[in-house]
mmCIF file of all heavy atoms in Angstrom:
data_model
loop_
_atom_site.group_PDB
_atom_site.id
_atom_site.type_symbol
_atom_site.label_atom_id
_atom_site.label_comp_id
_atom_site.label_asym_id
_atom_site.label_seq_id
_atom_site.Cartn_x
_atom_site.Cartn_y
_atom_site.Cartn_z
ATOM 1 N N ALA A 1274 -42.434 -37.076 56.982
ATOM 2 C CA ALA A 1274 -42.374 -36.320 55.820
ATOM 3 C C ALA A 1274 -42.888 -34.904 55.934
ATOM 4 O O ALA A 1274 -42.258 -33.921 55.440
ATOM 5 C CB ALA A 1274 -43.173 -37.106 54.660
ATOM 6 N N MET A 1275 -44.007 -34.719 56.604
ATOM 7 C CA MET A 1275 -44.597 -33.405 56.754
ATOM 8 C C MET A 1275 -43.739 -32.473 57.623
ATOM 9 O O MET A 1275 -43.591 -31.296 57.362
ATOM 10 C CB MET A 1275 -45.969 -33.517 57.269
ATOM 11 C CG MET A 1275 -47.007 -34.233 56.384
ATOM 12 S SD MET A 1275 -46.977 -33.518 54.733
ATOM 13 C CE MET A 1275 -47.525 -31.842 54.970
ATOM 14 N N ALA A 1277 -40.418 -32.710 58.001
ATOM 15 C CA ALA A 1277 -39.237 -32.347 57.193
ATOM 16 C C ALA A 1277 -39.593 -31.352 56.161
ATOM 17 O O ALA A 1277 -38.831 -30.415 55.893
ATOM 18 C CB ALA A 1277 -38.744 -33.679 56.484
ATOM 19 N N LEU A 1278 -40.773 -31.468 55.525
ATOM 20 C CA LEU A 1278 -41.216 -30.460 54.515
ATOM 21 C C LEU A 1278 -41.439 -29.129 55.222
ATOM 22 O O LEU A 1278 -41.062 -28.096 54.590
ATOM 23 C CB LEU A 1278 -42.516 -30.999 53.855
ATOM 24 C CG LEU A 1278 -42.356 -31.934 52.716
ATOM 25 C CD1 LEU A 1278 -43.809 -32.301 52.164
ATOM 26 C CD2 LEU A 1278 -41.523 -31.428 51.566
ATOM 27 N N ASP A 1279 -41.977 -29.049 56.409
ATOM 28 C CA ASP A 1279 -42.166 -27.777 57.040
ATOM 29 C C ASP A 1279 -40.894 -27.133 57.348
ATOM 30 O O ASP A 1279 -40.746 -25.872 57.165
ATOM 31 C CB ASP A 1279 -42.982 -28.014 58.365
ATOM 32 C CG ASP A 1279 -44.471 -28.120 58.172
ATOM 33 O OD1 ASP A 1279 -44.956 -27.589 57.120
ATOM 34 O OD2 ASP A 1279 -45.157 -28.748 58.978
ATOM 35 N N GLY A 1281 -38.092 -27.505 55.541
ATOM 36 C CA GLY A 1281 -37.629 -26.994 54.277
ATOM 37 C C GLY A 1281 -38.457 -25.762 53.770
ATOM 38 O O GLY A 1281 -37.826 -24.839 53.265
ATOM 39 N N ARG A 1282 -39.724 -25.826 53.981
ATOM 40 C CA ARG A 1282 -40.518 -24.645 53.591
ATOM 41 C C ARG A 1282 -40.100 -23.379 54.301
ATOM 42 O O ARG A 1282 -39.940 -22.313 53.727
ATOM 43 C CB ARG A 1282 -41.998 -24.932 53.773
ATOM 44 C CG ARG A 1282 -42.920 -23.741 53.609
ATOM 45 C CD ARG A 1282 -44.347 -24.063 54.026
ATOM 46 N NE ARG A 1282 -44.387 -24.419 55.527
ATOM 47 C CZ ARG A 1282 -44.422 -23.522 56.498
ATOM 48 N NH1 ARG A 1282 -44.374 -22.172 56.194
ATOM 49 N NH2 ARG A 1282 -44.481 -23.905 57.641
ATOM 50 N N MET A 1285 -36.801 -22.123 53.114
ATOM 51 C CA MET A 1285 -36.945 -21.552 51.773
ATOM 52 C C MET A 1285 -37.538 -20.174 51.873
ATOM 53 O O MET A 1285 -37.090 -19.198 51.213
ATOM 54 C CB MET A 1285 -37.754 -22.412 50.807
ATOM 55 C CG MET A 1285 -37.717 -21.965 49.386
ATOM 56 S SD MET A 1285 -38.373 -23.245 48.291
ATOM 57 C CE MET A 1285 -38.124 -22.487 46.642
ATOM 58 N N ILE A 1294 -31.619 -26.083 51.591
ATOM 59 C CA ILE A 1294 -32.951 -26.702 51.886
ATOM 60 C C ILE A 1294 -32.829 -28.238 51.785
ATOM 61 O O ILE A 1294 -33.380 -28.950 52.601
ATOM 62 C CB ILE A 1294 -33.938 -26.200 50.843
ATOM 63 C CG1 ILE A 1294 -34.126 -24.693 50.982
ATOM 64 C CG2 ILE A 1294 -35.293 -26.876 51.023
ATOM 65 C CD1 ILE A 1294 -34.731 -23.985 49.810
ATOM 66 N N ASP A 1295 -32.141 -28.736 50.741
ATOM 67 C CA ASP A 1295 -31.997 -30.191 50.585
ATOM 68 C C ASP A 1295 -31.295 -30.797 51.778
ATOM 69 O O ASP A 1295 -31.682 -31.848 52.302
ATOM 70 C CB ASP A 1295 -31.123 -30.439 49.258
ATOM 71 C CG ASP A 1295 -31.330 -31.801 48.756
ATOM 72 O OD1 ASP A 1295 -32.098 -32.583 49.287
ATOM 73 O OD2 ASP A 1295 -30.782 -32.090 47.709
ATOM 74 N N VAL A 1298 -33.681 -30.668 54.986
ATOM 75 C CA VAL A 1298 -34.753 -31.633 54.977
ATOM 76 C C VAL A 1298 -34.171 -33.103 55.169
ATOM 77 O O VAL A 1298 -34.825 -33.908 55.954
ATOM 78 C CB VAL A 1298 -35.494 -31.643 53.608
ATOM 79 C CG1 VAL A 1298 -36.428 -32.759 53.399
ATOM 80 C CG2 VAL A 1298 -36.233 -30.285 53.460
ATOM 81 N N VAL A 1310 -34.324 -40.360 51.701
ATOM 82 C CA VAL A 1310 -34.982 -38.995 51.510
ATOM 83 C C VAL A 1310 -34.720 -38.500 50.100
ATOM 84 O O VAL A 1310 -33.588 -38.374 49.718
ATOM 85 C CB VAL A 1310 -34.470 -38.044 52.491
ATOM 86 C CG1 VAL A 1310 -35.270 -36.736 52.421
ATOM 87 C CG2 VAL A 1310 -34.531 -38.528 53.953
ATOM 88 N N ASP A 1311 -35.747 -38.277 49.341
ATOM 89 C CA ASP A 1311 -35.653 -37.726 48.036
ATOM 90 C C ASP A 1311 -36.481 -36.509 47.931
ATOM 91 O O ASP A 1311 -37.667 -36.536 48.179
ATOM 92 C CB ASP A 1311 -36.074 -38.624 46.904
ATOM 93 C CG ASP A 1311 -35.184 -39.924 46.876
ATOM 94 O OD1 ASP A 1311 -33.963 -39.744 46.731
ATOM 95 O OD2 ASP A 1311 -35.714 -41.071 46.989
ATOM 96 N N LEU A 1312 -35.911 -35.298 47.687
ATOM 97 C CA LEU A 1312 -36.538 -34.030 47.677
ATOM 98 C C LEU A 1312 -36.601 -33.423 46.345
ATOM 99 O O LEU A 1312 -35.588 -33.448 45.590
ATOM 100 C CB LEU A 1312 -35.939 -33.122 48.707
ATOM 101 C CG LEU A 1312 -36.491 -31.702 48.832
ATOM 102 C CD1 LEU A 1312 -37.880 -31.724 49.502
ATOM 103 C CD2 LEU A 1312 -35.587 -30.856 49.657
ATOM 104 N N ARG A 1313 -37.792 -32.852 45.973
ATOM 105 C CA ARG A 1313 -37.875 -32.038 44.756
ATOM 106 C C ARG A 1313 -38.183 -30.662 45.215
ATOM 107 O O ARG A 1313 -39.182 -30.424 45.890
ATOM 108 C CB ARG A 1313 -38.933 -32.622 43.857
ATOM 109 C CG ARG A 1313 -39.182 -31.749 42.541
ATOM 110 C CD ARG A 1313 -40.455 -31.962 41.857
ATOM 111 N NE ARG A 1313 -40.584 -31.108 40.716
ATOM 112 C CZ ARG A 1313 -41.007 -29.831 40.802
ATOM 113 N NH1 ARG A 1313 -41.328 -29.354 41.953
ATOM 114 N NH2 ARG A 1313 -41.084 -29.127 39.737
ATOM 115 N N ILE A 1314 -37.414 -29.681 44.738
ATOM 116 C CA ILE A 1314 -37.538 -28.331 45.166
ATOM 117 C C ILE A 1314 -38.041 -27.515 44.005
ATOM 118 O O ILE A 1314 -37.376 -27.341 43.002
ATOM 119 C CB ILE A 1314 -36.188 -27.674 45.643
ATOM 120 C CG1 ILE A 1314 -35.653 -28.557 46.782
ATOM 121 C CG2 ILE A 1314 -36.461 -26.244 46.181
ATOM 122 C CD1 ILE A 1314 -34.228 -28.144 47.236
ATOM 123 N N GLY A 1315 -39.276 -26.973 44.141
ATOM 124 C CA GLY A 1315 -39.853 -26.035 43.146
ATOM 125 C C GLY A 1315 -39.920 -24.628 43.704
ATOM 126 O O GLY A 1315 -39.662 -24.418 44.922
ATOM 127 N N TYR A 1316 -40.280 -23.676 42.848
ATOM 128 C CA TYR A 1316 -40.326 -22.323 43.367
ATOM 129 C C TYR A 1316 -41.457 -22.091 44.327
ATOM 130 O O TYR A 1316 -41.407 -21.374 45.234
ATOM 131 C CB TYR A 1316 -40.397 -21.359 42.105
ATOM 132 C CG TYR A 1316 -40.401 -19.900 42.506
ATOM 133 C CD1 TYR A 1316 -39.195 -19.304 42.707
ATOM 134 C CD2 TYR A 1316 -41.575 -19.159 42.709
ATOM 135 C CE1 TYR A 1316 -39.089 -17.953 43.070
ATOM 136 C CE2 TYR A 1316 -41.478 -17.856 43.058
ATOM 137 C CZ TYR A 1316 -40.292 -17.165 43.291
ATOM 138 O OH TYR A 1316 -40.227 -15.952 43.667
ATOM 139 N N ALA A 1317 -42.595 -22.748 44.042
ATOM 140 C CA ALA A 1317 -43.816 -22.588 44.885
ATOM 141 C C ALA A 1317 -44.257 -23.764 45.618
ATOM 142 O O ALA A 1317 -45.226 -23.783 46.378
ATOM 143 C CB ALA A 1317 -45.035 -22.142 43.942
ATOM 144 N N SER A 1318 -43.387 -24.855 45.626
ATOM 145 C CA SER A 1318 -43.816 -26.093 46.341
ATOM 146 C C SER A 1318 -42.545 -26.949 46.610
ATOM 147 O O SER A 1318 -41.519 -26.834 45.877
ATOM 148 C CB SER A 1318 -44.836 -26.853 45.616
ATOM 149 O OG SER A 1318 -44.378 -27.330 44.353
ATOM 150 N N LEU A 1319 -42.682 -27.759 47.554
ATOM 151 C CA LEU A 1319 -41.659 -28.786 47.831
ATOM 152 C C LEU A 1319 -42.345 -30.166 47.901
ATOM 153 O O LEU A 1319 -43.514 -30.286 48.369
ATOM 154 C CB LEU A 1319 -41.025 -28.586 49.263
ATOM 155 C CG LEU A 1319 -40.279 -27.249 49.453
ATOM 156 C CD1 LEU A 1319 -39.816 -27.104 50.878
ATOM 157 C CD2 LEU A 1319 -39.016 -27.168 48.505
ATOM 158 N N ALA A 1320 -41.684 -31.177 47.349
ATOM 159 C CA ALA A 1320 -42.209 -32.493 47.447
ATOM 160 C C ALA A 1320 -41.080 -33.482 47.943
ATOM 161 O O ALA A 1320 -39.926 -33.389 47.467
ATOM 162 C CB ALA A 1320 -42.666 -32.971 46.051
ATOM 163 N N VAL A 1321 -41.443 -34.325 48.854
ATOM 164 C CA VAL A 1321 -40.388 -35.243 49.419
ATOM 165 C C VAL A 1321 -40.945 -36.662 49.401
ATOM 166 O O VAL A 1321 -42.147 -36.944 49.633
ATOM 167 C CB VAL A 1321 -40.018 -34.870 50.846
ATOM 168 C CG1 VAL A 1321 -41.190 -34.964 51.797
ATOM 169 C CG2 VAL A 1321 -38.744 -35.528 51.335
ATOM 170 N N THR A 1322 -40.123 -37.599 49.152
ATOM 171 C CA THR A 1322 -40.410 -39.039 49.246
ATOM 172 C C THR A 1322 -39.587 -39.566 50.400
ATOM 173 O O THR A 1322 -38.332 -39.436 50.405
ATOM 174 C CB THR A 1322 -40.115 -39.800 48.021
ATOM 175 O OG1 THR A 1322 -40.926 -39.289 46.898
ATOM 176 C CG2 THR A 1322 -40.385 -41.292 48.154
ATOM 177 N N ILE A 1323 -40.226 -40.171 51.431
ATOM 178 C CA ILE A 1323 -39.569 -40.718 52.558
ATOM 179 C C ILE A 1323 -39.682 -42.236 52.534
ATOM 180 O O ILE A 1323 -40.729 -42.789 52.283
ATOM 181 C CB ILE A 1323 -40.212 -40.221 53.912
ATOM 182 C CG1 ILE A 1323 -40.091 -38.715 54.030
ATOM 183 C CG2 ILE A 1323 -39.629 -40.893 55.100
ATOM 184 C CD1 ILE A 1323 -38.713 -38.201 54.242
ATOM 185 N N ILE A 1330 -43.362 -43.089 51.127
ATOM 186 C CA ILE A 1330 -44.504 -42.232 51.038
ATOM 187 C C ILE A 1330 -44.078 -40.886 50.470
ATOM 188 O O ILE A 1330 -42.954 -40.450 50.742
ATOM 189 C CB ILE A 1330 -45.272 -42.041 52.369
ATOM 190 C CG1 ILE A 1330 -46.638 -41.326 52.127
ATOM 191 C CG2 ILE A 1330 -44.414 -41.165 53.298
ATOM 192 C CD1 ILE A 1330 -47.461 -41.274 53.420
ATOM 193 N N THR A 1331 -44.894 -40.281 49.662
ATOM 194 C CA THR A 1331 -44.583 -38.960 49.056
ATOM 195 C C THR A 1331 -45.546 -37.931 49.506
ATOM 196 O O THR A 1331 -46.811 -38.198 49.539
ATOM 197 C CB THR A 1331 -44.632 -39.059 47.506
ATOM 198 O OG1 THR A 1331 -43.598 -40.005 47.059
ATOM 199 C CG2 THR A 1331 -44.324 -37.675 46.878
ATOM 200 N N ARG A 1332 -45.122 -36.807 49.895
ATOM 201 C CA ARG A 1332 -45.918 -35.712 50.310
ATOM 202 C C ARG A 1332 -45.412 -34.360 49.661
ATOM 203 O O ARG A 1332 -44.226 -34.244 49.364
ATOM 204 C CB ARG A 1332 -45.907 -35.493 51.909
ATOM 205 C CG ARG A 1332 -46.672 -36.639 52.572
ATOM 206 C CD ARG A 1332 -48.182 -36.469 52.300
ATOM 207 N NE ARG A 1332 -48.916 -37.473 53.058
ATOM 208 C CZ ARG A 1332 -49.316 -38.639 52.515
ATOM 209 N NH1 ARG A 1332 -49.003 -38.901 51.299
ATOM 210 N NH2 ARG A 1332 -50.081 -39.469 53.207
ATOM 211 N N MET A 1333 -46.350 -33.466 49.527
ATOM 212 C CA MET A 1333 -46.040 -32.127 48.919
ATOM 213 C C MET A 1333 -46.488 -31.062 49.839
ATOM 214 O O MET A 1333 -47.436 -31.169 50.644
ATOM 215 C CB MET A 1333 -46.712 -31.989 47.556
ATOM 216 C CG MET A 1333 -46.446 -30.663 46.855
ATOM 217 S SD MET A 1333 -47.270 -30.608 45.209
ATOM 218 C CE MET A 1333 -46.204 -31.762 44.265
ATOM 219 N N ARG A 1334 -45.725 -29.859 49.797
ATOM 220 C CA ARG A 1334 -46.114 -28.737 50.628
ATOM 221 C C ARG A 1334 -45.941 -27.479 49.845
ATOM 222 O O ARG A 1334 -44.953 -27.263 49.123
ATOM 223 C CB ARG A 1334 -45.072 -28.748 51.863
ATOM 224 C CG ARG A 1334 -45.461 -27.805 52.990
ATOM 225 C CD ARG A 1334 -46.662 -28.351 53.803
ATOM 226 N NE ARG A 1334 -46.786 -27.734 55.098
ATOM 227 C CZ ARG A 1334 -47.380 -26.568 55.277
ATOM 228 N NH1 ARG A 1334 -47.957 -25.854 54.283
ATOM 229 N NH2 ARG A 1334 -47.502 -26.042 56.481
ATOM 230 N N GLU A 1335 -46.956 -26.573 50.019
ATOM 231 C CA GLU A 1335 -46.921 -25.238 49.257
ATOM 232 C C GLU A 1335 -45.884 -24.392 49.994
ATOM 233 O O GLU A 1335 -45.748 -24.403 51.178
ATOM 234 C CB GLU A 1335 -48.241 -24.647 49.288
ATOM 235 C CG GLU A 1335 -48.346 -23.373 48.505
ATOM 236 C CD GLU A 1335 -49.774 -22.808 48.520
ATOM 237 O OE1 GLU A 1335 -50.637 -23.233 49.268
ATOM 238 O OE2 GLU A 1335 -49.952 -21.791 47.736
ATOM 239 N N VAL A 1336 -45.204 -23.515 49.220
ATOM 240 C CA VAL A 1336 -44.284 -22.579 49.748
ATOM 241 C C VAL A 1336 -44.817 -21.203 49.571
ATOM 242 O O VAL A 1336 -45.393 -20.853 48.483
ATOM 243 C CB VAL A 1336 -42.856 -22.684 49.005
ATOM 244 C CG1 VAL A 1336 -41.958 -21.525 49.489
ATOM 245 C CG2 VAL A 1336 -42.262 -24.010 49.294
#
Side-chain angles (χ1 to χ4, degrees):
M1275 293 310 297
L1278 278 179
D1279 278 336
R1282 172 188 59 82
M1285 190 167 183
I1294 298 163
D1295 202 358
V1298 171
V1310 184
D1311 296 307
L1312 179 67
R1313 180 196 176 277
I1314 306 174
Y1316 185 81
S1318 65
L1319 297 174
V1321 68
T1322 298
I1323 298 293
I1330 193 170
T1331 299
R1332 288 291 182 266
M1333 181 178 287
R1334 193 75 163 81
E1335 185 180 8
V1336 175

